[in-house]
Amino acid sequence: MKHFALDYARPAAPPPIVIPYAYDPGRQWNVLPDGRPATSDRALLLATSTTCSTAGSKTHFDD
């Protein structure tokens, strides 16, 4: 027997993901909106634990 509530229960929508930095192909690193390197923002590193990009996989065959 299925519970009545299971017919109407829906999972909560995940919160939107906002990435506070962008990849700069000219410098080949991630930058903040003001142009500083993303690694210079200690709070960002503590919150995200990384500022990974795809630069290594595009420039080195062994990454």
Side-chain angles (χ1 to χ4, degrees):
M1 184 171 181
K2 190 174 181 182
H3 292 280
F4 175 78
L6 294 179
D7 288 332
Y8 300 98
R10 297 181 186 189
I17 297 172
V18 177
I19 301 173
Y21 53 86
Y23 178 67
D24 181 356
R27 295 189 280 182
Q28 293 192 350
W29 60 29
N30 292 316
V31 293
L32 298 170
D34 63 2
R36 294 181 298 135
T39 56
S40 67
D41 188 344
R42 183 172 172 84
L44 173 66
L45 291 176
L46 289 172
T48 61
S49 302
T50 185
T51 61
C52 291
S53 72
T54 59
S57 61
K58 291 180 181 176
T59 58
H60 301 289
F61 67 90
D62 60 348
D63 282 352

